[in-house]
Every structure is written in C-alpha cells, then in structure tokens.
Amino acid sequence: MNVHRFALTPGEPAGIGPDLCLLLAAQAQPRVLVVVADLELLHARAAELGVQVDLVAVSPGRWPELPAPAGTLYVWDTPLAIAAQSGQLDPRNAAYVLETLTRAGQGCIDGDFAGMITAPVHKGVINEAGTAFSGHTEFLAELTGAPQVVMMLATQGLRVALVTTHLPLKDVAAAITGDRLEQVTRILHRDLVEKFGLNRPRILVCGLNPHAGEGGHLGREEIEIIEPCLERLRADGMDLVGPLPADTLFTPKNLEHCDAVLAMYHDQGLPVLKYKGFGAAVNVTLGMPIIRTSVDHGTALDLAGTGRIDTGSLQVALETAYQMAEAAKAP
C-alpha cells in the first residue's frame, strides 16, 4: 500500500463536490491526492468559480510521487456522459459517479492508494437512472467484499458509531439483535485499534430505551440483548461501558474518558455529534479492508458554482484518512 497517495471522488457533478476539490487546491496537501473526475468538468467549474487551478492529468502507471504544490490538482480523467451544469441533476451522469467510486475503491484494493475520500453523491438521481443505490457505504462494501460495515462519524473530541443506520424508527428495536450488536462492536473495536492506533479503546454503549430501560420498566432490550452481549465481549478483553442512558451519556465527564460512543440508531447519536462539530466532522466507514472517509454534508446543489461553500469538512476527512493510513502501517 502506498501510504502517501490518496484518491478523492467529487461525487455528484452538478453539486459542490467539484467546487470543493478546486478550492482545496489553493493549499498544498501533505500527501499525494488524486481527484478521480472529468477534466473538462473541473476546467468548466474553475472558470465558473473564477479560480486558477493547474489541472495535471495522471493515470495508472503515471502516478505522481510528490504532493501537488498549491494551485495544482492531480486528476485521473474519468469522462462524463454529458456535460454537467451546476445545480442541474442529470441521470445520464449516474454511471460516471459510480465509475469514479469504482476506480478509487479498486485503486485502494490494488494498493495504488492508501485510502479514498468521498464528496457527496445524490442517491435519488442514481436510482432514477435505473441503478439501485443506497449509498457510498453499501456500494463500497460490495466492491470490497466486506460482509458487515459500520458507520462512524467523528469530530474533535467525539466519535459516534451506529448499530443501525438508515432505518425507520419503528423498525429499530427489531434490528437490535445480539448477533448484530456483537458484529458491530467487534468491528468498531478492531478498527479503533488497527486504523486509529488505540491500544485498548474505551467504548461507551447507549441503551436503546429511555433511561436504558429503567430496569425493564421502559423496555427489556437492555436486559435481554444488550447487557448479555456486552458481557460476552468484555470476557474477550474489550473495555465497554454500558448500556447507559443516552440523555446523560453525552456529558463532558463521560466523554472525557472514552474513545468512541456506540449508539443504537441514527438519531440517537448523530444529532449530538453534528451539534458539536457540523462543518468540521467526518464520516468514516469501518469494517472494510480499505480506508474510506467522507464529508458530513450533502450535494448542496443550490451552492454549486457560487463559491459560497466551506471546505472544512473535506479538510477533516482528508486529515482523518491520512492519520488512519499512518496508524494502519504502524507495527
């Protein structure tokens, strides 16, 4: 694995992903960064934004060895089906979006890249084009052959992983099984060790119900599923605390002494994290044989081509990927 070279996919071509890549070029990156995108798209968007960026074409067998200087962007030219207009979705370019992800992901598998960073895609337009697509995570899990993946968001001082992700609230309780909880916890623990360099991570685990079930009076999932699972994993040496009531878990006293929080469902953990670090948070996919980080926001079609965007989340995603690659190569 080349720990100094990374792939960046700009996502939906009509959104702010191309803009983020171009604005990022204003500062030199500490690692070699290759944008997997259509060259003409980037030229056109740079003109629209009024920024000067030197776009240098690279490709397999012609990878750069040194980071690009400020004002320069390495681009692996990946052609669009049709020219993209800022803010205007076109299903004909859905295959292009998937091709950028495939190139970057396969490049990580082949060792050309130490990891990949993704700007936002538009799920709706990909599905409208006739391809069943539920998100980056599932697409890359299939590409890499990962049987189970875990979504984790992180910002300064807080990491939150999820047992369930994009489920209706009415379906969450049934999805919290002992097997699922054990798999997710093992992946979280392993990747905190192997990809974040934490020797013995301390993980705080949320209960599912208010007050973590109130001793069974507000639900029995904690007693029948969560607590037995955590006891099994503690016997394997994991430092797990919980299940804890989610309304008091996210306090400075508790978070000061933990490396990650494991939430049972999407809106249990992520509102706290996004309140703490929106615009400076990163989405990390755990459980894959490759490193993948992403921004914490959407395509923002209405802002594409305007220049009124913040590259903060992308910068955090890049820095996190760089740090994970360094931790992964450490003995």
Side-chain angles (χ1 to χ4, degrees):
M1 178 179 73
N2 188 312
V3 298
H4 300 295
R5 189 185 306 122
F6 294 79
L8 171 59
T9 59
E12 168 53 48
I16 63 171
D19 309 47
L20 289 170
C21 297
L22 291 162
L23 296 177
L24 189 73
Q27 297 179 335
Q29 288 293 315
R31 303 287 188 272
V32 176
L33 192 62
V34 175
V35 178
V36 187
D38 184 281
L39 263 174
E40 288 306 313
L41 165 66
L42 294 178
H43 277 299
R45 193 65 57 87
E48 190 174 357
L49 293 170
V51 297
Q52 293 281 11
V53 179
D54 184 16
L55 302 175
V56 177
V58 299
S59 60
R62 297 172 50 219
W63 298 128
E65 296 298 328
L66 296 175
T72 299
L73 207 58
Y74 296 131
V75 182
W76 183 2
D77 189 21
T78 306
L80 285 162
I82 189 168
Q85 303 298 319
S86 296
Q88 299 179 27
L89 296 172
D90 193 320
R92 289 174 290 182
N93 282 326
Y96 155 82
V97 174
L98 299 181
E99 177 63 13
T100 65
L101 297 178
T102 300
R103 285 187 172 190
Q106 191 61 49
C108 291
I109 295 169
D110 295 342
D112 290 332
F113 305 119
M116 61 184 291
I117 302 93
T118 59
V121 297
H122 193 287
K123 300 174 188 176
V125 76
I126 296 174
N127 282 280
E128 186 181 338
T131 299
F133 182 85
S134 54
H136 278 112
T137 302
E138 295 80 4
F139 182 86
L140 293 172
E142 182 175 353
L143 179 68
T144 61
Q148 173 79 49
V149 293
V150 174
M151 177 187 292
M152 183 176 79
L153 269 73
T155 191
Q156 183 67 35
L158 181 62
R159 301 183 184 99
V160 177
L162 303 176
V163 178
T164 63
T165 52
H166 301 121
L167 284 180
L169 191 57
K170 66 182 178 62
D171 297 333
V172 169
I176 306 293
T177 64
D179 286 345
R180 183 178 193 140
L181 179 58
E182 180 171 343
Q183 288 178 354
V184 168
T185 307
R186 287 190 182 279
I187 289 170
L188 173 60
H189 180 272
R190 183 192 68 211
D191 278 15
L192 287 173
V193 173
E194 296 180 358
K195 294 180 180 177
F196 287 85
L198 301 172
N199 185 37
R200 191 168 186 262
R202 185 177 182 85
I203 301 170
L204 304 189
V205 182
C206 295
L208 172 64
N209 298 295
H211 301 179
E214 194 77 65
H217 296 289
L218 293 176
R220 298 191 57 82
E221 285 84 0
E222 287 77 12
I223 294 171
E224 296 175 0
I225 298 171
I226 301 175
E227 289 177 1
C229 177
L230 299 186
E231 281 301 314
R232 291 195 302 272
L233 296 173
R234 289 187 190 107
D236 285 349
M238 295 188 195
D239 187 358
L240 305 172
V241 181
L244 299 174
D247 64 342
T248 55
L249 183 155
F250 292 97
T251 57
K253 181 179 177 180
N254 286 327
L255 297 178
E256 181 181 359
H257 301 292
C258 90
D259 295 298
V261 173
L262 182 59
M264 292 295 125
Y265 57 94
H266 188 280
D267 282 13
Q268 183 182 59
L270 296 194
V272 180
L273 184 134
K274 293 196 175 186
Y275 175 77
K276 178 177 173 61
F278 190 75
V282 57
N283 187 335
V284 184
T285 304
L286 307 178
M288 293 195 298
I290 67 172
I291 289 169
R292 179 256 170 169
T293 66
S294 181
V295 296
D296 70 343
H297 56 75
T299 54
L301 295 169
D302 58 323
L303 296 178
T306 68
R308 301 194 308 270
I309 59 173
D310 186 346
T311 61
S313 181
L314 178 57
Q315 192 62 57
V316 176
L318 290 165
E319 292 168 359
T320 302
Y322 301 157
Q323 293 163 5
M324 289 174 69
E326 288 296 329
K329 78 165 185 176

